[in-house]
C-alpha cells in the first residue's frame, strides 16, 4: 500500500522534541526523513536511558528516520547538507535563534533558490519581536505564556506533566507543512513557514485569556473545571477516586434522577443552568460528593452509566500501561524492539508499518528499502 507522503524527502535539522515530533509524523506517512545530527547526536538522546539504555524521548520521536551525522562547523559537512537540501521537498529546522542563518542557510534564501521548497522553522518566539533572540524550552514557554499560572492546585502554579508546548508546536508545524504541500500540488510554489512555541500555546490559551480580559481570570482549582460544574473528582465509599463531568442541562437532569435520586433538583434555580451551578459550586459539588460517598465504585459506575453521565477513573501512568484501550505498535531500535503507544489516526483498510529508530549516522537497516542518496554515504 502506497503511503500518502511516499516520494517526498524531508531534511530535518532538528533536536529535542518539537521538530522531531513533526517529522516523525511525516516519516510515519511515508516521507524519507534525513535527520541531521551532530557527532554527539541529538541531545534528546541523553534525556534519559530508560528504554533498553536509550532515551524514551528519542525512541518515541525518531522512528523511521535516517540519521545523517554532520559536524556543521566543517565546510565539507555544510556542503553535504546543502546538497541534501537541493534534493529535498521539505526542510524542518529548530536550531537556536540565528543559528541557521549563521550557517548560510537562511530560509528566505533557500526558498528563493528553490521556489518549490517548503521550509518550516520552529523557534521559541518566532523570527521577529522583542523575544526573538531568546532560547526557549517547553517549561520556560509554559511559564512565560501564563500556562503555569492556571495549572496545579490553589497553593502554587504547576507544570503540565509532559512536554505539552513542544508537542502542540510539532503538531502545528505538521499541519502547516501538509497545507503547504497541498498548495504546492496546485500551484507548484513552496512556502516559508515560521512556527513559534509561544504563539502556539498562546492560541491554545484563548479561553482563559478572554476570561481574564473580561474581568474573570481563571484560578487554579486542581481537578475541577473553571467553567463547568459539577466537574471534578469525588470519592466513593470504598475510597476510589472518580472524575465526572456534567456538560449541559440534560446531563444535570439525568444526574439528578439516577445518582442524586431527586428530580426536583434539576429545576432548582440554584442549579438549573451551568452558570448557576458554577456560581453555587460548593453546594453543587457537596450534593454530588454526598451521594457518591454513600456508594461503592461499582454502584456509582452503574448509576452513571444508566444516566449517560461522562466519567473516568483517576488513573496513574501504571494504570495506562495496562489499560484495555491502549493500542501499541512495536518499533525496532538499536537496543531491541520497543512497544510504543500507537499514533491516534486509524484509517480504515490501511495497515501501517513503522520504521526503526536510527543509531547516530547509521542507516544500514534502511538501505534495502530506500534508494541510495548522499545520506547513505559515510558520515563526514
Amino acid at each position: 500500500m502506497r503511503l500518502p507522503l511516499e516520494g517526498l524527502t524531508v531534511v530535518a535539522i532538528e533536536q529535542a522534541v518539537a521538530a522531531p515530533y513533526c517529522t516523525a509524523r511525516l516519516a510515519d506517512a511515508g516521507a524519507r526523513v534525513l535527520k541531521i545530527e551532530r557527532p554527539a547526536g541529538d541531545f534528546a538522546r541523553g534525556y534519559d536511558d530508560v528504554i533498553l539504555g536509550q532515551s524514551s524521548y528519542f525512541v518515541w520521536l525518531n522512528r523511521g528516520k535516517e540519521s545523517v551525522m554532520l559536524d556543521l562547523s566543517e565546510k565539507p559537512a555544510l556542503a553535504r547538507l546543502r546538497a541534501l537540501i537541493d534534493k529535498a521537498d521539505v526542510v524542518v529546522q529548530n536550531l537556536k535563534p540565528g543559528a541557521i542563518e549563521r550557517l548560510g542557510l537562511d530560509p528566505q534564501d533557500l526558498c528563493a533558490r528553490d521556489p518549490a521548497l517548503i521550509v518550516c522553522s520552529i523557534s521559541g518566539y518566532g523570527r521577529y519581536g522583542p523575544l526573538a533572540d531568546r532560547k526557549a524550552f517547553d517549561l520556560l514557554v509554559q511559564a512565560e505564556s501564563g500556562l503555569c499560572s492556571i495549572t496545579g492546585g490553589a497553593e502554587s502554579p504547576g507544570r503540565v506533566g509532559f512536554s505539552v508546548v513542544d508537542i502542540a508546536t510539532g503538531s502545528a508545524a505538521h499541519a502547516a507543512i501538509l497545507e503547504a504541500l497541498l498548495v504546492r500540488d496546485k500551484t507548484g510554489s513552496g512556502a516559508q513557514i515560521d512556527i513559534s512555541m509561544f504563539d502556539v500555546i498562546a492560541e491554545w490559551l484563548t479561553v482563559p485569556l478572554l476570561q481574564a480580559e473580561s474581568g474573570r481570570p481563571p484560578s487554579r482549582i486542581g481537578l475541577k473545571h473553571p467553567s463547568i460544574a459539577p466537574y471534578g473528582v469525588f470519592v466513593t465509599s470504598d475510597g476510589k477516586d472518580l472524575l465526572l463531568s456534567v456538560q449541559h442541562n440534560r446531563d444535570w437532569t439525568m444526574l439528578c434522577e439516577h445518582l442524586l435520586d431527586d428530580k426536583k433538583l434539576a429545576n432548582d434555580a440554584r442549579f438549573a443552568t451551568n452558570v448557576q451551578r458554577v456560581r453555587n459550586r460548593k453546594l453543587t459539588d457537596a450534593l454530588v460528593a454526598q451521594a457518591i460517598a454513600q456508594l461503592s465504585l461499582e454502584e456509582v459506575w452503574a448509576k452513571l452509566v444508566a444516566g449517560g453521565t461522562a466519567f473516568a477513573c483517576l488513573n496513574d501512568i501504571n494504570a495506562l500501561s495496562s489499560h484495555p484501550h491502549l493500542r501499541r505498535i512495536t518499533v525496532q531500535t538499536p537496543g531491541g524492539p520497543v512497544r510504543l503507544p500507537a499514533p491516534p489516526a486509524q484509517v480504515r483498510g490501511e495497515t501501517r508499518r513503522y520504521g526503526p529508530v536510527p543509531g547516530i549516522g547509521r542507516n544500514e537497516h534502511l538501505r534495502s528499502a530506500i534508494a541510495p542518496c548522499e545520506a547513505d554515504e559515510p558520515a563526514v
Side-chain angles (χ1 to χ4, degrees):
M1 177 179 294
R2 183 175 174 85
L3 294 174
L5 300 185
E6 278 186 35
L8 293 177
T9 298
V10 178
V11 172
I13 314 168
E14 63 179 18
Q15 54 200 357
V17 175
Y21 183 95
C22 168
T23 57
R25 295 299 180 265
L26 299 176
D28 285 349
R32 185 181 194 192
V33 177
L34 307 179
K35 182 181 179 71
I36 310 302
E37 296 195 75
R38 304 170 298 167
D42 181 341
F43 56 72
R45 288 183 182 269
Y47 277 173
D48 60 45
D49 61 357
V50 301
I51 305 298
L52 302 173
Q54 305 162 108
S55 164
S56 57
Y57 288 84
F58 192 86
V59 166
W60 171 41
L61 296 173
N62 291 284
R63 62 177 176 261
K65 303 178 186 180
E66 298 175 66
S67 173
V68 183
M69 187 178 70
L70 295 175
D71 182 350
L72 297 180
S73 66
E74 302 288 342
K75 288 185 178 180
L78 190 54
R80 185 175 176 216
L81 175 57
R82 288 179 178 275
L84 293 175
I85 291 174
D86 284 343
K87 295 186 177 182
D89 299 282
V90 179
V91 174
V92 179
Q93 70 90 16
N94 71 333
L95 301 185
K96 64 184 179 181
I100 199 74
E101 291 82 2
R102 289 191 292 272
L103 291 172
L105 300 172
D106 188 306
Q108 186 170 340
D109 295 339
L110 295 178
C111 289
R113 182 177 177 180
D114 180 0
L117 184 64
I118 296 166
V119 180
C120 180
S121 297
I122 296 172
S123 63
Y125 297 96
R127 291 168 61 87
Y128 308 103
L131 302 184
D133 294 333
R134 184 185 291 186
K135 289 174 67 175
F137 298 103
D138 181 271
L139 181 53
L140 301 180
V141 179
Q142 287 194 40
E144 187 76 32
S145 66
L147 175 57
C148 291
S149 75
I150 59 170
T151 305
E155 66 285 349
S156 64
R159 167 188 177 268
V160 175
F162 63 99
S163 302
V164 62
V165 177
D166 282 332
I167 296 167
T169 301
S171 295
H174 177 237
I177 290 168
L178 295 182
E179 289 179 9
L181 286 169
L182 289 172
V183 172
R184 192 179 76 167
D185 281 347
K186 295 176 181 178
T187 67
S189 298
Q192 182 183 340
I193 303 166
D194 293 312
I195 302 286
S196 155
M197 296 166 67
F198 184 86
D199 287 349
V200 169
I201 208 64
E203 200 270 338
W204 278 33
L205 287 166
T206 294
V207 168
L209 175 65
L210 294 179
Q211 291 173 339
E213 291 177 344
S214 298
R216 298 181 183 178
S219 57
R220 292 187 303 276
I221 53 176
L223 287 173
K224 292 182 172 61
H225 194 289
S227 304
I228 302 171
Y231 197 147
V233 175
F234 301 91
V235 183
T236 65
S237 64
D238 48 352
K240 305 296 183 181
D241 291 327
L242 197 70
L243 197 149
L244 65 80
S245 170
V246 172
Q247 291 279 328
H248 48 72
N249 293 339
R250 183 181 180 281
D251 282 352
W252 173 247
T253 298
M254 298 298 287
L255 190 77
C256 291
E257 178 180 349
H258 290 273
L259 178 69
L260 304 183
D261 295 326
D262 189 347
K263 293 183 180 181
K264 294 180 181 179
L265 288 173
N267 297 315
D268 189 307
R270 297 169 295 176
F271 314 115
T273 68
N274 179 65
V275 171
Q276 290 302 112
R277 291 192 292 274
V278 171
R279 287 176 180 168
N280 295 289
R281 183 190 299 275
K282 287 185 178 181
L283 183 54
T284 304
D285 286 353
L287 290 170
V288 177
Q290 182 180 16
I292 290 178
Q294 298 174 18
L295 302 169
S296 68
L297 176 62
E298 184 178 355
E299 291 168 331
V300 175
W301 189 300
K303 287 179 175 288
L304 295 179
V305 168
T309 301
F311 69 97
C313 296
L314 185 59
N315 290 326
D316 60 14
I317 298 301
N318 285 328
L320 172 61
S321 179
S322 58
H323 200 286
H325 260 278
L326 179 63
R327 298 182 301 108
R328 292 185 186 260
I329 59 173
T330 298
V331 172
Q332 296 299 322
T333 78
V338 176
R339 298 180 69 232
L340 303 175
Q346 299 182 69
V347 180
R348 287 179 180 264
E350 177 182 285
T351 300
R352 288 200 176 177
R353 295 181 179 179
Y354 298 91
V357 176
I360 301 174
R362 296 185 179 275
N363 300 292
E364 288 80 4
H365 51 268
L366 290 176
R367 291 192 182 191
S368 62
I370 300 178
C373 79
E374 291 91 336
D376 293 323
E377 297 173 354
V380 175

